[in-house]
Each structure stands twice: as C-alpha cells, then as structure tokens.
Amino acid sequence: MTTQQTVKVQLVRSPIGTKESHRATVRGLGLRKLNGVRELQDTAEVRGMINKISYLVKVL
C-alpha cells in the first residue's frame, strides 16, 4: 500500500482583477473563498497550477 503525498494550499489574495485563466486555475484547485485551504495530491500538474498563481496562494 502506497501513501500519496499531499500539499496544502491557501488562497491569500483575491483573484478579482486577475486574468481569466488565473481565476480558472484558482477554481480548478478547488479554492473558493479567501483564506480557504485545500489539501491536494502532490503531482506535477498541481505544482504547475500553484506555480502559475503563486502570487495568490500560499503553500502550507
């Protein structure tokens, strides 16, 4: 049995006024409200999404 690595992401800045693709990335990560936290699988795809909106989120 293998355990999946996870990463916690918190939305710390509002996506209002950002590019539409960045807002879609925030929603794709499952983040809805400010200071909302999601625990996601640590994959290359998720890391790329976090990197794209790094100025909006904080990795816990």
Side-chain angles (χ1 to χ4, degrees):
M1 212 173 9
T2 62
T3 58
Q4 285 287 338
Q5 294 291 340
T6 60
V7 60
K8 281 189 177 183
V9 182
Q10 181 179 20
L11 184 63
V12 294
R13 288 191 59 196
S14 174
I16 295 173
T18 61
K19 291 182 177 181
E20 181 61 40
S21 63
H22 290 200
R23 288 194 296 267
T25 302
V26 169
R27 298 292 288 158
L29 287 174
L31 297 168
R32 296 175 181 264
K33 296 182 178 180
L34 275 182
N35 298 318
V37 177
R38 285 291 310 255
E39 190 168 350
L40 305 162
Q41 291 183 357
D42 192 9
T43 63
E45 292 82 6
V46 170
R47 286 286 177 171
M49 292 171 80
I50 292 170
N51 189 42
K52 182 176 181 178
I53 57 166
S54 61
Y55 64 101
L56 297 175
V57 297
K58 177 170 63 171
V59 177
L60 304 175

